[in-house]
Amino acid sequence: MLIEDVKKQMTTPLGAPAYPKGPYFFHNREYLNIVYRTDIDSLRKIVPEPLEIDEPLVKFEVMYMPDVTGLGAYTECGQVIPVSFNGEKGEYLHAMYVDNHPAIAVGREASAYPKKLGAPKMFIDSDTLVGTLDYGSLRVANATMGYKHEPLDIRIARDELTRPTFMLKIVPDFNGKQKVCELVRTEISDLTIHGAWTGPARLQLFEHVLAPMADLPVREIVHASHILTDLILAAPSVVYDYLAEEKAAAGVKR
């Protein structure tokens, strides 16, 4: 392969890339969101500066995506924390567990989504919407919500999904030091909501050293939602460079 052709490639392996070129359209993306109150000291240990914690809240989310262009079908599960940055309210995406390798690879390489391999599920059990997360053979989370108990105002549902999202982009160099360490911002665009509901919910988190969701313990359930959508994720932009001083001292241009 010629040098100019190598420069055109998105990712490796050459000839069988880990993921195709975007954009990626999500059809019939389904959310189970449970917002709960946790311990403020636990949040302070994991939310990176310069983000600021607004309230001791966490959103546990399960997302079932049956139709994603280029990536297929998969499920994600994660924890999201309400924060502020330079006066703008948004959410810090703390951790995501995903059952699809192309989605993990493109999320980490082309963006900054903190994805790792897990086995999340979303399903209906009689009159209950259920979300679970297994890591390896062990259960990490059980979430249950009354199935479509009450309609949720579409404006509230839209606000839940379109808040700015902040993430850490960390890429190591060959010498073991950080080559990239940035805070990035993104948001959902072109959102269509097909239906939204709320209802009673419960959430259980179980201790696991490599999937430490229980480090943000559940103290009180605040809100739950079940939302059906079509959407596109906007490309991220850098809002803070943790290595800016080092780069400036070394005369390195970003």
Side-chain angles (χ1 to χ4, degrees):
M1 183 177 288
L2 300 177
I3 290 176
E4 55 264 32
D5 292 325
V6 174
K7 291 180 178 180
K8 296 176 184 177
Q9 304 306 307
M10 281 286 294
T11 184
T12 57
L14 298 181
Y19 51 85
K21 186 177 180 180
Y24 307 100
F25 298 90
F26 296 79
H27 301 282
N28 297 317
R29 179 166 172 159
E30 186 171 7
Y31 288 85
L32 167 59
N33 295 324
I34 299 179
V35 178
Y36 67 90
R37 198 172 305 279
T38 192
D39 298 335
I40 187 67
D41 290 338
S42 299
L43 287 177
R44 288 177 177 143
K45 291 178 182 178
I46 63 170
V47 174
E49 293 182 329
L51 296 176
E52 298 178 354
I53 301 168
D54 290 332
E55 295 182 76
L57 299 177
V58 180
K59 180 171 69 176
F60 173 87
E61 61 181 12
V62 184
M63 294 163 284
Y64 173 55
M65 289 154 282
D67 182 0
V68 186
T69 53
L71 302 178
Y74 60 100
T75 306
E76 294 183 347
C77 177
Q79 286 173 310
V80 184
I81 301 167
V83 295
S84 294
F85 177 73
N86 288 344
E88 180 183 42
K89 291 187 178 296
E91 296 177 325
Y92 169 61
L93 190 46
H94 172 51
M96 305 178 76
Y97 301 87
V98 188
D99 63 359
N100 172 295
H101 176 261
I104 294 174
V106 69
R108 294 180 66 94
E109 290 185 17
S111 187
Y113 291 94
K115 298 185 179 187
K116 62 188 299 187
L117 184 64
K121 300 291 182 185
M122 183 191 297
F123 57 93
I124 300 169
D125 184 14
S126 183
D127 57 353
T128 308
L129 182 63
V130 180
T132 64
L133 173 63
D134 292 345
Y135 191 85
S137 62
L138 299 179
R139 179 57 47 93
V140 174
N142 279 330
T144 55
M145 176 182 172
Y147 185 71
K148 295 185 178 181
H149 275 212
E150 301 175 36
L152 179 65
D153 190 310
I154 296 298
R155 292 171 296 180
I156 295 176
R158 181 174 294 276
D159 178 67
E160 281 191 36
L161 301 184
T162 57
R163 296 169 189 167
T165 299
F166 299 96
M167 303 174 288
L168 281 180
K169 175 78 170 183
I170 297 177
V171 180
D173 208 341
F174 294 110
N175 59 10
K177 297 181 179 180
Q178 291 178 337
K179 185 175 184 178
V180 176
C181 187
E182 299 169 335
L183 184 68
V184 306
R185 179 191 183 280
T186 188
E187 60 189 326
I188 289 174
S189 61
D190 297 324
L191 175 67
T192 299
I193 297 178
H194 299 298
W197 300 267
T198 187
R202 297 290 185 271
L203 175 62
Q204 296 170 289
L205 301 178
F206 305 98
E207 299 281 355
H208 194 298
V209 65
L210 295 182
M213 284 193 162
D215 285 1
L216 298 175
V218 180
R219 300 306 184 203
E220 178 189 10
I221 301 298
V222 175
H223 171 72
S225 61
H226 175 205
I227 308 173
L228 303 178
T229 68
D230 292 336
L231 59 88
I232 302 174
L233 297 174
S237 59
V238 178
V239 295
Y240 186 85
D241 188 348
Y242 291 88
L243 304 179
E245 291 185 6
E246 291 91 332
K247 292 177 181 178
V252 177
K253 294 182 179 180
R254 186 182 180 278

